[in-house]
Amino acid sequence: MTSTDKLKGLLFLPRAQRESPEVVSAIRQIVAEDPEAMHFFVRWSHFEASLLWYVNEFGTDRNVVVTHVRKEVRQDRLIRFLVMAASAVLVVMIGFQVCIFTIRYSVSPLQVHPIVGRIAEVDGVIWPESRQGTQTLVRQGDRFFSRQGRFVVHMDSGALVACSGPVEMQVMNSMQLRLHDGAICIQVPERARGFEVQAKDWSIVDLGTIFGIRTSRNGSSEVHVMKGLVQARSDVVGQQEIIAGQGAGLAANGQITGLFTTDPGPFTAQLASLAGVAGSSKNLVVLNNPPRSVKFNGHVLRDQACLFREQEQPLPANSEIMIFRASPGIYSSKNLPERTTIPSGTMLTTYLLHAQNSGSGPVSGHVTFDGVIAGLALSSPDLNLTDAHFGHPDVLYPASTDPHFSGAVRGTLVQESTDFIEISPDLKTLRFKLSCATAIKAFDQIRIFVLPPRN
Amino acid sequence: MVLNQADAEDLLQDVGVTIWEKLDEYDSSRDFTAWACGIARNKVLSFNQLASHRLVQSSDLLDRLHAVVSSDVKVHEHQHQFLLGCISRLSETERQLLQLRYAQESSLKEIARDTGRSIHALYKSLQRVHLKLFECVSRRLNRWGEG
């Protein structure tokens, strides 16, 4: 505020106030100190003197003034009333909206952020955001950022998203997610056909498959199809189909940089997660796709064993099975595990551990599952009996009628004194040492029955 | 030079009487206006020094004010003329309010009491009329200055 403004304020005061010593002193000080204010003061004094000169010539009609003031009072009251009424209406409207929102949120929170999946098989994950550490339900729009470790998102649509290592992604809905950084593997059942992964300017649409996609922050991506078919879409190239065994480089500008043979290497951990395997030793190969045959000479490895997932289904009614119980401990031909009966209705996932070694020594290693091991089929009769129900439909298994199988011992421990297995205290890890050297046909197999993971 | 209308009227009367009394001492070879202003100056100074609530306490401030008044004589003359034109553009009610402000302040208090409106609010109304007039006069003065 300038000195002139201050002076104006003082000169406009009611006469009694304006002539008080304090106000006069303030006016004097302003006028003495500021030449501009002094000019204004002189002009105002003349203005007021002139005004006085003129107004004394007017007649006074008190009624006119009273009427005017009353009118102003009415106007003021009306304005005040309108402002208060408007404020009240506004407060009521806001309150109403808050109530509606609160009711909607409390009655139907799913409409705000529908749950579209859950997180399971969490192993060694470091979440930078503590909220995610305790979160098991996945809501629409949730963003996940893990520095390390692995976890699997079970989408309500049926799709499984296996994540390992540093990953940043956002779940858009049960059929769509956006990958910002890292590598993930997706397994899509038939009912979730059309599941979409967005990466930068690309959209990868599943057509019934298992595929991996990795994206870096610079915008480039790679998609590797392990099984089935996907469609890569961008505004630049339109649609490009990528089949099983094929991979494609996807540039940030929407161009395809090249097609190549699938390399499952970067997705090993994610693929194992999809199979329900938490970890394994180097000399145990976890197969993404089952071998065509596990007959003698059907799948031969050197100094290695292999493991593949066969089935996940409940034991049918009236069809209890008797196998070896999985209890913590070390077992051999002289110390076999106890026999146990698994009741019908039990949900089981089966894996076949197969070792036909072309090398000279035994094959040893370990495998850890996400679920608890319920039992083992260790003997040839147990394996033969459970092939039909728990075997993979696309795999050829040895059978007693098979001429190549004659005289061979398919299982382990039983009749094989040099083999041994160990089950960990948490019942999740199986260690093995298989000689693969008994009788004429030197191969060993174990069918592992695993209960679903608790989380 | 003074803020109170009654004081101004007293002073004017006092200056007139003094000029009349000292007219014999006036040297006709000198400027009469300057002689009369000198008398008025001394009167204002002695009048204001009598009470601390009066505006001009020092001869220095009085001289500076006098210098400003003298330099803007033409402006003040035009301001006086323009004011009449601006007043004619006011409504009757606004003119009545001004009249009450300058001639019958007691009536203003009565009106405030009769209408239930505070004296402060009435002064606000008056302030608006004052500003309206002052801005009208200032605009006309600016146009005159530019012309």
Side-chain angles (χ1 to χ4, degrees):
Chain A
M1 188 188 270
T2 63
S3 302
T4 309
D5 291 334
K6 283 183 198 166
L7 181 62
K8 209 184 277 185
L10 294 171
L11 292 172
F12 276 135
L13 287 171
R15 186 183 293 178
Q17 273 178 268
R18 199 175 76 172
E19 290 172 5
S20 69
E22 295 78 20
V23 175
V24 171
S25 170
I27 292 173
R28 185 190 304 128
Q29 194 179 348
I30 292 170
V31 169
E33 287 175 359
D34 185 352
E36 195 183 329
M38 182 182 279
H39 273 272
F40 177 82
F41 176 75
V42 170
R43 257 193 70 195
W44 178 262
S45 299
H46 275 91
F47 170 80
E48 208 171 27
S50 301
L51 197 57
L52 180 61
W53 175 275
Y54 287 123
V55 295
N56 278 329
E57 294 177 358
F58 307 149
T60 307
D61 186 348
R62 193 172 178 278
N63 286 337
V64 173
V65 180
V66 170
T67 309
H68 168 77
V69 174
R70 280 188 176 152
K71 190 178 160 192
E72 277 194 349
V73 169
R74 278 200 300 275
Q75 280 177 346
D76 279 1
R77 282 180 185 160
L78 183 66
I79 289 169
R80 219 174 296 154
F81 172 75
L82 288 174
V83 168
M84 284 178 70
S87 306
V89 168
L90 196 66
V91 167
V92 168
M93 282 174 69
I94 291 171
F96 185 70
Q97 288 293 324
V98 169
C99 285
I100 292 287
F101 180 78
T102 309
I103 291 166
R104 272 190 190 164
Y105 189 78
S106 57
V107 169
S108 182
L110 300 188
Q111 285 181 7
V112 182
H113 292 293
I115 293 168
V116 293
R118 64 186 174 88
I119 298 177
E121 290 94 69
V122 179
D123 184 13
V125 176
I126 294 179
W127 307 100
E129 293 174 24
S130 58
R131 184 182 66 87
Q132 291 171 345
T134 56
Q135 186 175 348
T136 54
L137 293 179
V138 177
R139 291 180 186 277
Q140 190 169 296
D142 275 356
R143 200 176 176 112
F144 293 93
F145 177 31
S146 71
R147 287 192 199 283
Q148 64 177 56
R150 69 179 189 99
F151 63 99
V152 178
V153 181
H154 294 243
M155 308 296 290
D156 284 350
S157 59
L160 298 178
V161 182
C163 309
S164 180
V167 169
E168 185 176 356
M169 67 174 188
Q170 186 174 16
V171 176
M172 313 307 285
N173 56 54
S174 67
M175 285 292 286
Q176 190 183 54
L177 65 83
R178 172 163 278 276
L179 179 65
H180 295 280
D181 190 28
I184 60 173
C185 259
I186 299 109
Q187 179 178 306
V188 184
E190 186 59 29
R191 68 186 170 97
R193 191 182 172 94
F195 188 88
E196 181 185 357
V197 179
Q198 297 172 347
K200 310 297 175 193
D201 291 337
W202 284 92
S203 168
I204 313 300
V205 179
D206 168 84
L207 300 174
T209 190
I210 296 176
F211 69 99
I213 177 164
R214 60 175 174 172
T215 297
S216 58
R217 288 203 177 275
N218 66 16
S220 62
S221 304
E222 272 183 21
V223 60
H224 295 256
V225 182
M226 304 351 167
K227 183 181 174 185
L229 179 73
V230 299
Q231 209 170 55
R233 297 174 183 168
S234 81
D235 291 340
V236 179
V237 299
Q239 298 178 357
Q240 169 73 45
E241 288 193 345
I242 304 165
I243 59 171
Q246 213 174 33
L250 313 174
N253 61 5
Q255 296 280 2
I256 290 183
T257 53
L259 292 172
F260 40 76
T261 306
T262 300
D263 175 16
F267 304 101
T268 304
Q270 290 90 333
L271 288 167
S273 286
L274 289 177
V277 175
S280 62
S281 57
K282 210 161 49 176
N283 42 8
L284 177 67
V285 181
V286 179
L287 300 173
N288 309 318
N289 295 314
R292 283 191 304 167
S293 168
V294 287
K295 290 180 172 184
F296 179 67
N297 283 341
H299 192 75
V300 182
L301 294 162
R302 185 174 179 82
D303 297 328
Q304 281 186 317
C306 73
L307 178 97
F308 63 92
R309 184 179 164 127
E310 296 180 300
Q311 295 272 5
E312 180 179 356
Q313 57 185 335
L315 202 56
N318 305 318
S319 60
E320 294 175 343
I321 55 164
M322 182 167 274
I323 51 175
F324 289 97
R325 181 200 298 274
S327 302
I330 299 172
Y331 303 98
S332 65
S333 59
K334 293 176 183 170
N335 176 30
L336 289 169
E338 290 175 12
R339 299 290 284 174
T340 186
T341 302
I342 294 183
S344 59
T346 308
M347 183 61 129
L348 292 167
T349 305
T350 50
Y351 297 84
L352 190 78
L353 179 66
H354 167 86
Q356 182 173 350
N357 182 19
S358 64
S360 55
V363 179
S364 57
H366 70 265
V367 57
T368 303
F369 298 96
D370 287 321
V372 167
I373 302 168
L376 302 164
L378 297 169
S379 67
S380 296
D382 281 358
L383 285 162
N384 292 341
L385 279 172
T386 53
D387 276 348
H389 189 73
F390 292 103
H392 195 286
D394 299 337
V395 177
L396 291 172
Y397 289 92
S400 54
T401 54
D402 189 335
H404 293 293
F405 187 63
S406 176
V409 177
R410 182 183 170 191
T412 181
L413 298 192
V414 182
Q415 298 176 4
E416 296 202 31
S417 58
T418 53
D419 293 355
F420 75 86
I421 61 168
E422 180 185 353
I423 296 170
S424 66
D426 66 359
L427 300 177
K428 287 187 174 180
T429 301
L430 173 74
R431 293 184 180 279
F432 58 88
K433 182 183 174 189
L434 306 173
S435 61
C436 312
T438 305
I440 304 164
K441 311 298 182 190
F443 71 120
D444 292 326
Q445 290 178 349
I446 303 173
R447 176 161 287 124
I448 306 157
F449 296 80
V450 179
L451 296 170
R454 282 187 186 163
N455 59 0
Chain B
M1 308 298 176
V2 290
L3 285 170
N4 184 299
Q5 187 187 335
D7 286 350
E9 284 170 359
D10 288 349
L11 261 174
L12 185 63
Q13 197 173 7
D14 199 15
V15 169
V17 170
T18 305
I19 288 171
W20 183 256
E21 285 173 353
K22 293 192 174 180
L23 199 57
D24 294 341
E25 298 170 17
Y26 169 61
D27 180 359
S28 56
S29 62
R30 290 171 60 193
D31 181 5
F32 177 77
T33 308
W35 177 74
C37 282
I39 289 171
R41 176 186 175 280
N42 291 334
K43 283 288 173 190
V44 168
L45 203 54
S46 58
F47 179 83
N48 280 344
Q49 281 169 346
L50 290 175
S52 61
H53 67 268
R54 286 175 181 154
L55 184 66
V56 181
Q57 300 283 312
S58 70
S59 58
D60 171 55
L61 181 58
L62 184 62
D63 289 342
R64 282 163 58 201
L65 277 170
H66 179 66
V68 171
V69 171
S70 305
S71 66
D72 289 348
V73 170
K74 283 279 178 199
V75 173
H76 298 142
E77 281 175 6
H78 281 91
Q79 181 172 271
H80 188 75
Q81 290 168 14
F82 294 150
L83 182 60
L84 188 58
C86 290
I87 288 173
S88 68
R89 298 180 68 177
L90 293 178
S91 68
E92 180 58 25
T93 313
E94 287 171 329
R95 276 201 292 273
Q96 289 299 331
L97 267 174
L98 283 175
Q99 213 281 339
L100 285 170
R101 159 71 175 86
Y102 288 101
Q104 304 178 34
E105 190 162 359
S106 58
S107 298
L108 201 61
K109 286 178 184 168
E110 284 168 19
I111 289 167
R113 195 178 56 238
D114 292 350
T115 56
R117 191 148 194 217
S118 69
I119 192 90
H120 180 71
L122 276 178
Y123 269 105
K124 281 278 176 194
S125 300
L126 267 170
Q127 198 175 34
R128 280 199 293 274
V129 180
H130 270 128
L131 276 173
K132 192 173 166 182
L133 270 180
F134 193 66
E135 282 166 7
C136 171
V137 170
S138 298
R139 276 198 304 275
R140 291 184 180 206
L141 275 174
N142 286 340
R143 279 204 293 274
W144 166 75
E146 286 165 7

